[in-house]
Amino acid sequence: MTTALELNSPFPPPLPLHRFTVEQYHRLAETGVLTADDRVELLEGWIVEKMIQRPLHGFVVGLLTEFFQTKLLPGYIVRCQLPITTEHSEPEPDMAIVHGTHADYRQSHPSGQQCRLIIEVADTSLDKDHLKAAIYHAAGAQEYWIVDLNAKCLERYQFEPGSPIRQPELIQAHEHCSLRIGSEECSLQLKQVFA
């Protein structure tokens, strides 16, 4: 007995699915199959919907962007909700601190190795943001933060090349997080984020 496909099922059909390369994903945008109105990103070959952003999410992204822009020395820039290109993915993290200048990325997006820090703000996206840790680690990023708005804590992943991912350091809302970017030491009081 066969079963009809359920059209509104939240799960993919039990059929072969197609994974896209980064180049194919770019062509989908170039030919208009994907447009700026499509809120998607490429994760390990799968085209995945991005979550709706609530006001608190936008506030925290803006706050962190403002904080880091005032701390960075020449040689680093802040990029907000813009792609990072890896071998099999093109995620769009909420924020990334990358080496170089904006002009360096006129022809291509930064790679993971050019990222000093990647930040995802998790409101409704925590499970997906946990999965992204492996993508950012494999791409060569130095560090990854998940700002968990519900648990009011920061999950800090510090990646070492050639080593497996370690459990994140959990930093609570009443604590601070220090980060060296070039020769500058930045200290973020998390109560500013979670107040």
Side-chain angles (χ1 to χ4, degrees):
M1 180 172 133
T2 59
T3 305
L5 290 176
E6 187 180 335
L7 296 180
N8 294 320
S9 171
F11 304 104
L15 301 170
L17 300 175
H18 179 76
R19 294 177 92 168
F20 293 88
T21 66
V22 172
E23 292 76 20
Q24 290 170 330
Y25 180 67
H26 289 172
R27 282 200 296 277
L28 290 174
E30 290 164 5
T31 59
V33 174
L34 292 176
T35 70
D37 294 332
D38 294 310
R39 292 188 43 78
V40 296
E41 58 189 341
L42 185 72
L43 301 180
E44 293 301 290
W46 304 109
I47 297 176
V48 179
E49 286 187 356
K50 295 192 329 188
M51 301 296 188
I52 299 296
Q53 295 182 11
R54 298 180 186 180
L56 180 58
H57 180 279
F59 164 76
V60 172
V61 171
L63 184 81
L64 291 171
T65 301
E66 187 175 74
F67 172 80
F68 282 109
Q69 282 178 332
T70 63
K71 303 290 183 188
L72 292 182
L73 296 173
Y76 292 90
I77 57 169
V78 175
R79 289 172 50 98
C80 287
Q81 299 173 339
L82 294 170
I84 293 168
T85 302
T86 75
E87 186 177 2
H88 303 292
S89 301
E90 197 161 272
E92 298 183 15
D94 288 315
M95 200 188 95
I97 296 174
V98 300
H99 296 276
T101 67
H102 289 289
D104 294 330
Y105 303 107
R106 183 183 295 271
Q107 302 297 326
S108 63
H109 299 302
S111 68
Q113 292 178 341
Q114 293 166 308
C115 296
R116 170 61 185 93
L117 173 66
I118 298 172
I119 299 176
E120 296 283 7
V121 176
D123 180 3
T124 59
S125 62
L126 186 60
D127 289 340
K128 185 166 86 166
D129 293 335
H130 281 143
L131 294 173
K132 285 183 176 181
I135 293 172
Y136 296 140
H137 174 261
Q142 285 184 263
E143 192 161 331
Y144 175 44
W145 293 1
I146 299 175
V147 179
D148 185 341
L149 298 180
N150 297 308
K152 294 192 174 183
C153 72
L154 186 151
E155 297 183 24
R156 183 182 194 179
Y157 295 82
Q158 296 182 75
F159 301 135
E160 295 179 15
S163 298
I165 297 176
R166 295 190 314 243
Q167 288 296 312
E169 175 187 4
L170 296 181
I171 305 172
Q172 303 301 322
H174 64 278
E175 299 177 303
H176 74 278
C177 184
S178 293
L179 174 73
R180 179 167 290 282
I181 303 172
S183 61
E184 183 74 14
E185 186 78 23
C186 304
S187 183
L188 175 65
Q189 297 293 332
L190 294 184
K191 63 185 177 185
Q192 297 175 278
V193 176
F194 296 116

